[in-house]
Amino acid sequence: GVATAERRRRAADTLERVGLGHRIWHRPTELSGGERQRVAIARALVARPAIVLADEPTGNLDSASGAGVLALLEELHAEGATIAVITHDQAIADRLPRRIDLRDGRIERDSGALAEART
């Protein structure tokens, strides 16, 4: 339902946001593993979804690229999207506004549960 020109503009803008604007005309075989992961993230975000499920979004990225992806997810959250990040990286988990720790399929800790119970 989106015109071709608008789809291409959104794709180019999103690739810029994940740091791949300069690689827009490269084929997948010409991209590194980290670049391919950023393309996958861009593909997921180009439609501006209301909910983003990000499973280890920085797993194959160098620290600079990973920081860029996290900044992008924070921007999307600020714009109103719900972002769920699944990670084993404590540094990533610590910088998120709400944290739910799971063990064996059960919630061990929910940093937002007490605040929600008060409202």
Side-chain angles (χ1 to χ4, degrees):
V2 179
T4 301
E6 176 63 11
R7 285 194 315 261
R8 289 182 185 196
R9 187 193 61 74
R10 284 186 192 179
D13 288 349
T14 305
L15 285 171
E16 282 290 336
R17 289 177 85 180
V18 297
L20 291 175
H22 66 289
R23 306 282 280 173
I24 195 166
W25 297 111
H26 287 75
R27 313 280 290 146
T29 57
E30 299 172 318
L31 301 175
S32 70
E35 288 172 331
R36 288 180 194 179
Q37 185 166 354
R38 287 187 281 159
V39 168
I41 291 166
R43 287 180 66 200
L45 301 179
V46 75
R48 299 182 183 137
I51 299 173
V52 175
L53 304 176
D55 185 3
E56 299 290 356
T58 62
N60 295 323
L61 303 178
D62 60 65
S63 59
S65 296
V69 166
L70 290 175
L72 176 59
L73 293 174
E74 289 169 345
E75 282 178 39
L76 292 168
H77 177 66
E79 292 170 5
T82 297
I83 312 293
V85 176
I86 297 87
T87 186
H88 291 92
D89 186 327
Q90 295 302 312
I92 292 173
D94 289 343
R95 73 184 268 185
L96 301 173
R98 181 176 180 184
R99 181 173 170 167
I100 301 171
D101 293 333
L102 301 174
R103 182 179 305 277
D104 299 327
R106 295 180 186 234
I107 297 174
E108 279 195 336
R109 181 177 79 117
D110 181 350
S111 68
L114 186 59
E116 288 179 13
R118 288 187 217 145
T119 57

